[in-house]
Amino acid sequence: MLCLQVMQILVRCPAVCTSAGSPVGTSPSALRQFCSDAALSVDLQQAAIAADVLTRIVVHCYEECLPVEGADLMLALESLVIATGIPNGQNNIKPLRIALRCLVQLSTAQPDLYAQRTAAVVGAQMGAGGPRQAALLEALAALGALGAPALPHLLPALQHAREACKDPSYDGTTLVLICTVLLQERAGAALSRRINRSWELKIKDAIQGADGWTRYRVARACLRYGHHSLAADILKRLSEEAPSESAQRWLTALYRAAAADSKLLEEGISGLEEASAGWESFGDGGVSSGGSCS
């Protein structure tokens, strides 16, 4: 373990990474061979550190356009992610997070080779809850920014979170995170193609039984990623259920602003006048016309 930790420091040097990289068809360097073997260790902590060293080497070679083979590293990382999901009486979150970070780095360096495959591996592990699911969702969010399809893996997780809302002790954090990743993924997809909006119904259905604070956080994420119509629907209902007059004014103001933005997005310049009226009425919802809604 100490040897691998020393290697973690050594591979911060670009020259070490360059010399340790093994071009396709050649024998691996001693450092890389050692780490490749250690990355398949049954000791997940050791395997994670070895994979981290290998990732630094391979990513450096990709970034510098040096010939390198990354298939063995990808297999080791996939195995590590799967192995951390098998109960062994230990806390496997740290090696999982290391493996996920390595996968994201590898996918960022060569998205065409690894991003979609990584999304499939990460998405297949989404059945677990708690800290493990949160780590997997964070990785999916990073992969979504690279264009990897996350929707097929998020919808089943959304359904599980919907069922979890029936538990009075559920705080809604996982549901908000799933919705946030889904909103981010859909926003990215909308930049390159026209998307069906049926997924919005699934979010509405999932948060229907959640508490007001959870639904507000989802609405806030909708606004952040430009899904103004969905945000307006959620905020309108929240304003009708507001526990106090001040909360109602605030939620109504947000609803009016979101509805105005949605109108402008849907109708373009022809909807500018109506949208402007909505923005003006935003000030009547409890926020001064010159104020900020941050």
Side-chain angles (χ1 to χ4, degrees):
M1 180 70 79
L2 179 60
C3 181
L4 287 170
Q5 290 171 337
V6 171
M7 289 179 182
Q8 275 187 305
I9 304 299
L10 290 176
V11 292
R12 294 179 183 177
C13 174
V16 173
C17 291
T18 300
S19 62
S22 304
V24 179
T26 64
S27 300
S29 64
L31 188 154
R32 177 157 185 175
Q33 185 62 58
F34 178 83
C35 290
S36 295
D37 294 339
L40 299 175
S41 170
V42 294
D43 184 336
L44 299 184
Q45 293 284 355
Q46 178 177 314
I49 294 176
D52 183 53
V53 174
L54 276 176
T55 301
R56 288 176 182 270
I57 294 171
V58 173
V59 168
H60 170 79
C61 291
Y62 279 137
E63 290 175 345
E64 297 299 323
C65 299
L66 300 173
V68 68
E69 177 59 62
D72 57 337
L73 172 59
M74 186 66 190
L75 285 172
L77 290 170
E78 288 175 334
S79 301
L80 187 54
V81 170
I82 294 170
T84 56
I86 300 174
N88 60 356
Q90 299 179 9
N91 185 355
N92 294 326
I93 289 299
K94 185 175 180 180
L96 172 65
R97 286 191 173 276
I98 293 174
L100 292 174
R101 184 182 69 233
C102 292
L103 283 169
V104 170
Q105 290 173 348
L106 197 60
S107 298
T108 302
Q110 285 289 327
D112 293 340
L113 289 177
Y114 302 112
Q116 189 165 348
R117 181 174 169 180
T118 298
V121 172
V122 174
Q125 299 295 309
M126 287 291 293
R132 178 175 175 81
Q133 188 177 49
L136 293 167
L137 284 168
E138 290 168 4
L140 274 181
L143 293 167
L146 300 174
L151 184 63
H153 313 296
L154 291 171
L155 293 181
L158 190 64
Q159 182 62 28
H160 288 310
R162 176 181 179 273
E163 295 300 319
C165 285
K166 297 177 181 179
D167 183 355
S169 63
Y170 183 68
D171 67 357
T173 299
T174 302
L175 175 58
V176 173
L177 185 54
I178 293 171
C179 290
T180 300
V181 176
L182 179 55
L183 292 164
Q184 180 195 41
E185 192 272 348
R186 292 289 82 190
L191 294 176
S192 58
R193 61 186 183 276
R194 189 176 184 84
I195 60 174
N196 189 301
R197 294 178 59 179
S198 60
W199 60 273
E200 294 186 4
L201 298 176
K202 296 185 182 297
I203 286 187
K204 292 179 185 178
D205 182 58
I207 66 174
Q208 186 174 9
D211 58 68
W213 174 237
T214 297
R215 284 182 285 155
Y216 172 75
R217 286 186 288 168
V218 172
R220 193 170 56 185
C222 292
L223 292 172
R224 183 184 307 127
Y225 291 108
H227 303 286
H228 300 290
S229 177
L230 179 57
D233 288 344
I234 298 172
L235 289 167
K236 182 178 181 182
R237 183 168 180 180
L238 283 173
S239 67
E240 294 168 350
E241 302 171 358
S244 66
E245 183 180 352
S246 59
Q248 185 180 44
R249 287 201 306 269
W250 169 244
L251 291 168
T252 300
L254 288 177
Y255 157 66
R256 289 175 177 172
D261 287 341
S262 176
K263 174 68 68 175
L264 188 61
L265 283 174
E266 291 175 1
E267 299 184 7
I269 193 66
S270 61
L272 180 59
E273 184 176 351
E274 187 174 348
S276 298
W279 292 325
E280 288 177 4
S281 66
F282 172 78
D284 299 331
V287 180
S288 63
S289 58
S292 169
C293 61
S294 60

